[in-house]
């Protein structure tokens, strides 16, 4: 039998495709299909009910994702049974009602599908055994109710209302999620059976308070408790069947359902009483007071719903067994009479074309049957004897009287609140009855009211019949239902229930009489209430507050962001570096002192500082500082940078690494030259200086980053660590026959890497060549003085004899490379620089005419040579690039170490020469469009180039 | 270990690398006409590279002297990355055609980035990690500036590059510090050097902090997130769809592996850092997104916030946490991809791409299909049940609660309430506001409608049908992480 339990939840979802299928047959078929689904649900429930009525809870449990506590498990107990009955029963009536209510041109498919999906979600909430599963369905109801409220989407009201309802209930659902996670953590499971058994453990846990608050947030938002009540009256923009179903009978009851569901686990503490009873009492009074003031009768009913939900909440908060029974009883009664009242309201709305009670009067004459139904239902709302509302209200009064706490004068607080609420509710019920059905003739209605179709009245008749039957014979009609439901809420500790109309003449009865009399008096003097309200009430309603909060949040976020969201690269980089410094500083400062004595300096002793090194260091710092300071003066900045680079090269010499120094020096020269060439396409000065403040800020970030990096380097270098350089130094001679370790690494130990690297270098050069060839860039206008002296004669004369000399040096450096500082890479750079100087001194046309080298071809040859060396050793049966060496005695030269790696080095040499020249000459050739000359001495802001690739100041 | 063995263990990368070279040559000879053919060929290549993932023996297979490992974790992430990349390649074709920027390099750059990501998630050494990360980043910089005639795109590329270079520098600093104090760059040796319970090593802590900062940059976690909105806004939309998905997955995977395998002994230290990043990302991402007027910037902040949520799982520091992060990445990948592709399909009468929130006004009436799909993505990104996007959020929150970090979980839920606000705002604009202008669907859409439809179905409650196998798959990957 339990196997059918999930079907109870799935049934409405299974109905969805059915509706789509019968869509072609017209709206009647669609309505029949939807109604049949609801009735099938009732039938299934009837089949499952007997064991539940006998006091058992049906539980079906299938593990789904046990790791995350999510299981497919359902539970049908008394409380679930009650709600399932309401959802399917009232649902069936609503479908019938909606068929007549919705305009004839509405095909109903979309509407009823959403309604069914909502019913499915609601069933999931009440039948889920796993709390996480319940939460899933909880939000299904939020989403579908959003769609239902926004159903008449062309009206602005319904769109705003739908958004508000979703924001409040959806947000509350997320709070509930947090609460459930905590609850599951405390109880050790998300299964209700487990949680309900561990009430004591939960109540004593230190996380009880935050968990309770979060869970209650979920419940209160859903049940429209103050201060989250404002979405409900606005949700009345929905079609009336939706209001009748969601906003009176089912969805808003999900919140109080949750209170009932978790009652055994959470109730019974001071905090529970304060929060739940307090919220309930405020909601009860405020809702009842505001209801009278509404001229729109749907608004009146909405506030009345809020008030009744407050009443139920209050009863759960009182936390005595009988009060919980009263709460459950009122859930039933309220669902029945409020649904019928909304249906009556819908009929009136359609028949009169307005919902303003100042214009709708005297409908008793026009639709006597409907009016009678409405009057009876309103009587139940007011708590008139022999109607169901009277019974639960009486129980409520009795509970407030019996409640033991407060002491002294405090004893009267709860009964007083209850009586006042009773007076108010009689007042608004009286207004509804008197204004709508009596009170003279209708005023200026858009159309003449007529009775509704026969079958539209049927749902109301059924519900009102229940109102009367329960009111007259409570124990017979609903005693059984109330008993099982209460047993579920109270976890088997339910008191014996004896429902009766007459309890004898006692205090609650006096309170009822006072409420009835006072209410009628209150309604009689209502004009005075209206005046007072208009005079003193703040012109500030919750929807307005919501909108303000909504817009305010947007504005605030925008303003906050304007400060955070800098959007320029400089600011981002500053932020990034600043944060990196901060993170580093935090890591240093927060680490415990015992990790090492002096955290920054390691155990290694410091080398003594000699004056020359100190001087060089100062020059280095000055160079870097100068480059930073004169960053806008581009030429100066580059010169300063070259100073810094030079000192670095010298530092290598100082620490006895001439090979590294030479490499560094040649790379330095080539890059500086590259930058100088690029400078021609940039204005002479950079973008305008920023303010002093910004300079200080960027300056401090720069200094901080520099100091941080220095500190890290210092920390690293003062600590002993093993490097692989020892291995290379020891093995360079015996294994590769060379003493220049750098060169040996390049051509031998890491020959494979080098082959890859020169290939990359070649690719980069070719890429630049391909990108720049044929590009047209306009160089910047220079003044006449410098233009006249473009190629100084002295330089040109000096450079021509330099070329063979420089090339000779290159060859020398190349040959000795294996043992002494030098090698193919450095030699290549030297040769390339020698050539480039020719270009610089004589101009591109002059040099191109004399240097007839095809650099692309050269590049290919170099790569080929290098690769073939590797292949050759493979052919000879060695691994790729394995080298061999020998020494050749050749007078008048020194010993020349002839290694096979020399051939490989030749390849490197060629590739380096060709790459550097390819890139530099291509850059030098660029400016084809010669700018016009301008008179000397006016170096103002220049026009920007038409299409400069290096436009870096974004 | 012979080269051949290494090649077979690293087969996905080898296939990818070789294939890229071939396709590059084809592109060089055929020119931009080959874009569509190359795109499909690239997807085929990705599928081919994915074959060894299913074929490999279970367990850990090391290669290249321990620089590289193939295990369930890397296979899981690689499959996700390949999927994301393939989608990013295909959805871009109609867009590139439309804007006359159909250059054949696009699919190849994505493939190169994918190769980098594959190396990243298999890295067992700081060096291979760096190589993979840089290969991915360099391709990404170029992709960001792919629309090079448009200043916004160039600016995005430049900013991304400059800041990315800074982050790489930071990473190298961290790596060299770790190397200095551990004496090795291999994850296993680092783990041996920094054992839990020993006196904390300041240098290692520094190294860890810098490594984490650089990785935070890559996943765009606060406080190293600042590039994200600008790059998302400036870069071409299909490129952003790519950035927001596969690289995030790869970088998070890398972070997981690095923290668990290399720095498992320093959990107490990194847990705090990750915790702070997580909270800051969630809060800043959620609050800042509210103020956005551009859909792409909004999704950028949403990405920041979502990374914050994913970091919750990482902060938990448990196996359940890893599993949750993996699920988060998977679902996030699909939702974000869907959202961007849906955005990609909208063009106004002048052929201008619709990117502002205001442009979406009333979309439900003009383009109900796309509007509904976008609404599903928004609800799902907000983590509102019953959308599938709720599941990963639930997973990370429960992992955090189980690990005793319940305040983090509560903060996370509060942040998602704030986040829900701006996602709902998008829905409101589409469904409630009156239509703003003409929205036309450009003629050629390629696979985009199919991608959006599939992603929407996955993000909707239908996704729960796949939850069982997905969770089992993720659990297997999480177990592989030592």
């Amino acid at each position: 039998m339990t196997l059918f339990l999930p079907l109870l939840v799935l049934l409405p979802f299974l109905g969805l495709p059915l509706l789509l299928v019968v869509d072609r047959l017209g709206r009647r078929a669609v309505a029949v299909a939807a109604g049949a689904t609801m009735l099938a649900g009732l039938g299934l429930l009837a089949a499952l009910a007997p064991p539940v009525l006998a006091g058992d809870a049906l539980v079906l449990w299938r593990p789904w994702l046990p790791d995350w506590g999510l299981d497919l498990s359902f539970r049908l107990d008394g409380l679930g049974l009650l709600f399932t009955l309401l959802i399917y029963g009232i649902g069936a009536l609503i479908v019938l009602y909606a068929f007549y209510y919705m305009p004839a041109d509405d095909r109903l498919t979309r509407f009823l599908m959403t309604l069914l999906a909502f019913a499915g979600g609601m069933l999931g909430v009440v039948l889920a055994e796993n709390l996480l599963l319940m939460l899933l369905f909880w939000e299904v109801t939020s989403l579908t109710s959003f769609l239902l409220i926004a159903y008449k989407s062309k009206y602005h009201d319904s769109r705003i209302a739908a958004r508000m309802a979703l924001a409040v209930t959806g947000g509350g659902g997320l709070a509930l999620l947090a609460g459930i996670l905590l609850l599951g953590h405390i109880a050790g499971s998300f299964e209700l059976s487990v949680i309900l058994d561990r009430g004591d453990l939960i109540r004593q846990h230190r996380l009880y308070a935050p968990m309770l608050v979060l869970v209650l947030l979920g419940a209160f938002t859903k049940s429209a408790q103050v201060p989250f009540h404002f979405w409900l009256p606005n949700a009345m923009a929905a079609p009336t069947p939706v209001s009748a179903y969601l906003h009176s009978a089912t969805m808003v009851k999900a919140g109080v359902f949750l209170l009932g569901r978790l009652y055994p686990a959470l109730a019974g503490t001071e905090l529970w009483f304060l929060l739940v009873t307090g919220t309930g009492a405020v909601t009860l009074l405020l809702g009842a007071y505001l209801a009278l003031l509404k001229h729109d009768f749907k608004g009146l009913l909405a506030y009345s719903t809020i008030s009744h939900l407050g009443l139920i909440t209050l009863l759960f908060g009182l936390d005595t067994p009988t009060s919980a029974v009263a709460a459950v009883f009122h859930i039933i009664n309220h669902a029945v009479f409020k649904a019928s009242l909304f249906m009556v309201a819908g009929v009136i709305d359609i028949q009169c074309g307005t919902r303003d009670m100042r214009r709708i009067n005297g409908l008793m004459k026009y639709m006597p049957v409907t009016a009678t139904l409405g009057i009876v239902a309103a009587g139940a709302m007011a708590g008139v004897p022999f109607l169901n509302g009277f019974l639960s209200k009486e129980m409520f009064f009795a509970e407030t009287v019996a409640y033991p706490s407060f002491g002294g004068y405090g004893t009267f607080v709860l009964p007083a609140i209850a009586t006042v609420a009773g007076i108010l509710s009689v007042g608004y019920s009286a207004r509804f009855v008197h204004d709508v059905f009596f009170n003279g003739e209708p005023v200026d209605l858009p159309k003449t009211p007529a009775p509704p179709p026969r079958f539209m009245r049927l749902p109301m008749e059924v519900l009102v019949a229940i109102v009367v039957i329960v009111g007259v014979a409570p124990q017979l009609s609903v005693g059984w239902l109330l008993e099982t439901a209460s047993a579920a809420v109270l976890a088997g500790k339910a008191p014996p229930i004896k429902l009766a109309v007459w309890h004898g003449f006692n205090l609650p009865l006096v309170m009822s009489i006072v409420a009835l009399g006072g209410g009628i008096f209150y309604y009689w003097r209502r004009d005075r209430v209206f005046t007072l309200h208009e005079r003193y009430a703040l012109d500030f309603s919750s929807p307005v507050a919501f909108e303000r909060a909504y817009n305010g949040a947007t504005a605030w976020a925008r303003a906050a962001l304007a400060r955070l969201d800098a959007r320029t690269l400089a600011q981002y980089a500053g932020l990034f570096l600043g944060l990196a410094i901060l993170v580093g500083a935090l890591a240093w400062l927060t680490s415990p002192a015992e990790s090492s004595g002096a955290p920054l300096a390691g155990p290694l002793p410091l080398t003594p500082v000699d004056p020359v090194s100190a001087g060089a260091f100062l020059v280095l710092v000055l160079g870097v500082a100068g480059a930073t300071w004169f960053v806008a003066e581009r030429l100066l900045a580059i010169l300063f940078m070259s100073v810094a680079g030079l000192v670095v090269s010298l530092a290598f010499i100082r620490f006895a690494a001439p090979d590294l120094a030479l490499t560094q020096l040649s790379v330095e020269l080539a890059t500086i030259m590259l930058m100088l060439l690029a400078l021609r396409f940039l204005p002479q000065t950079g973008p305008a200086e920023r303010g002093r403040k910004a300079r200080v800020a960027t300056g401090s970030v720069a200094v901080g980053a520099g100091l941080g990096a220095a500190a890290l380097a210092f920390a690293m270098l003062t600590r002993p660590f093993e490097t692989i350089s020892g291995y290379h130094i020891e093995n360079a001679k015996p294994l590769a026959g060379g003493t220049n370790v750098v060169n040996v690494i390049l051509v031998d130990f890491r020959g494979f890497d080098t082959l890859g690297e020169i290939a990359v270098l070649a690719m980069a050069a070719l890429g630049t060549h391909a990108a720049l060839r044929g590009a047209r860039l306009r160089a910047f206008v220079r003044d006449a003085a410098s233009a006249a002296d473009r190629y100084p004669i002295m330089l040109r004369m000096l450079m021509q004899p330099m070329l063979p000399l420089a090339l000779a040096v290159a060859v020398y450096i190349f040959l000795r490379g294996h043992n002494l500082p030098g090698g193919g890479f450095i030699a290549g750079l030297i040769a390339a620089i020698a050539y480039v100087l020719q270009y610089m001194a004589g101009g591109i046309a002059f040099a191109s005419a004399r240097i007839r080298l095809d650099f692309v071809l050269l590049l290919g040859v170099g790569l080929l040579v290098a690769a073939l060396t590797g292949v050759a050793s493979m052919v000879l049966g060695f691994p790729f690039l394995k080298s061999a060496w020998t020494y050749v005695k050749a007078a008048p030269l020194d010993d020349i170490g002839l290694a096979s790696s020399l051939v490989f080095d030749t390849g490197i040499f060629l590739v380096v020469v060709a790459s550097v020249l390819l890139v530099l000459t291509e850059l030098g050739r660029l400016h084809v469009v010669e700018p016009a000359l301008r008179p000397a001495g006016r170096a103002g802001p220049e026009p920007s180039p038409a299409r400069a690739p290096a436009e870096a100041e974004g | 270990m012979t080269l051949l063995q290494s090649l077979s263990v690293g087969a996905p990368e080898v296939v990818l690398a070789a294939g890229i070279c071939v396709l590059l040559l084809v592109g060089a000879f055929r020119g931009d006409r080959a874009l569509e053919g190359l795109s499909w060929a690239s997807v085929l290549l990705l599928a081919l590279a994915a074959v060894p993932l299913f074929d490999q023996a279970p367990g850990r297979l090391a290669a290249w002297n321990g620089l590289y490992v193939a295990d369930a974790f890397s296979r899981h992430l690689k499959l996700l990355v390949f999927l994301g990349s393939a989608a990013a390649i295909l959805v871009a074709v109609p867009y590139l055609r439309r804007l006359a920027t159909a250059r054949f390099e696009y699919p190849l750059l994505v493939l190169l980035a994918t190769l980098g990501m594959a190396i990243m998630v298999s890295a067992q050494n700081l060096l291979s990690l760096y190589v993979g990360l840089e290969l991915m980043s360099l391709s990404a910089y170029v992709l960001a500036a792919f629309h090079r005639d448009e200043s916004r795109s160039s600016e995005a590329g430049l900013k991304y590059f400059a800041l990315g270079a800074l982050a790489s520098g930071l990473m190298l600093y961290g790596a060299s510090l770790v190397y200095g104090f551990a004496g090795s760059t291999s994850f296993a040796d680092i783990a041996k050097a920094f054992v839990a319970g020993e006196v904390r090593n300041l240098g290692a802590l520094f190294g860890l902090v810098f490594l984490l900062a650089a990785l935070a940059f890559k996943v765009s976690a606060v406080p190293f997130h600042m590039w994200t909105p600008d790059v998302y806004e400036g870069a071409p939309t299909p490129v952003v769809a790519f950035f927001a998905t596969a690289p995030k997955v790869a970088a998070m995977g890398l972070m997981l592996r690095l923290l668990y395998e290399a720095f498992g002994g320093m959990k107490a230290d990194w847990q705090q850092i990750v915790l702070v990043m997580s909270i800051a990302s969630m809060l800043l991402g959620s609050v800042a997104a509210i103020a956005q007027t551009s859909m792409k910037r909004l999704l950028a902040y949403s990405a920041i916030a979502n990374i914050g949520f994913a970091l919750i799982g990482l902060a938990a520091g448990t196996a359940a946490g890893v599993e949750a992060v993996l699920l988060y990445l998977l679902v996030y990948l699909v939702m974000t991809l869907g959202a961007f592709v849906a955005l990609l399909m909208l063009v106004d009468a002048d052929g201008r791409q619709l990117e502002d929130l205001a442009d979406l006004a009333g979309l439900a009436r003009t383009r109900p299909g796309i509007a509904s799909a976008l609404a599903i993505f928004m609800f799902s990104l907000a983590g509102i049940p019953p959308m599938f996007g709720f599941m990963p959020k639930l997973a990370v929150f429960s992992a955090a609660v189980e690990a005793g970090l319940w305040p983090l979980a509560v903060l996370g839920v509060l942040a998602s309430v704030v986040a829900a606000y701006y996602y709902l705002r998008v829905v409101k604009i589409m469904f409630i506001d009156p239509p703003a202008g003409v929205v036309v669907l450009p003629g050629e859409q390629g696979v985009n409608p199919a991608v959006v439809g599939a992603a929407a179905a996955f993000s909707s409650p239908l996704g729960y049908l796949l939850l069982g196998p997905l969770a089992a798959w993720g659990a297997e990957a999480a177990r592989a992480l030592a």
Side-chain angles (χ1 to χ4, degrees), chain A residues 65 136 139-140 159 163 174 181 185 207 550 554 558 561 565 567 572 576 579 583 591-592 595 709 719, chain B residues 159 173 181 200 202 209-210 217 223 230 288 291-292 297 301 385-386 397 401 406 413 421 428 432 464 467:
Chain A
L65 288 174
L136 270 174
E139 296 285 33
V140 171
R159 299 185 313 237
R163 182 185 59 171
L174 288 174
L181 282 175
H185 176 63
L207 292 180
Y550 207 89
T554 314
R558 200 161 286 158
L561 211 65
D565 220 14
R567 297 206 189 190
Y572 284 155
F576 190 100
L579 285 165
V583 167
S591 68
S595 58
R719 283 169 169 79
Chain B
K159 274 183 181 164
Y173 249 124
F181 285 94
R200 275 207 299 181
L202 184 65
V209 165
F210 283 145
F217 177 87
D230 280 7
Q292 299 309 320
R297 283 187 87 85
Y301 281 106
F397 291 154
V401 171
W406 66 268
V413 173
Y421 168 94
K428 172 229 162 199
I432 295 183
Y464 288 93
L467 187 51

Side-chain angles (χ1 to χ4, degrees), chain B residues 43-99:
Chain B
V43 173
L44 201 67
L45 180 64
L46 283 170
L48 213 61
V51 170
L53 298 179
F54 297 100
D55 199 34
Q56 268 168 359
R60 274 172 91 84
L61 305 167
W64 282 297
N65 299 319
L67 284 173
Y68 176 100
V69 71
D71 56 5
F73 182 74
S74 73
R75 283 192 279 270
H76 178 102
L77 288 172
K78 267 179 217 174
L79 209 55
L80 285 191
V81 165
F82 288 178
L83 268 177
S85 302
I89 290 174
L90 285 184
V91 300
V93 177
Y95 173 88
L96 295 175
R97 285 259 181 80
R98 198 159 65 233
L99 297 181

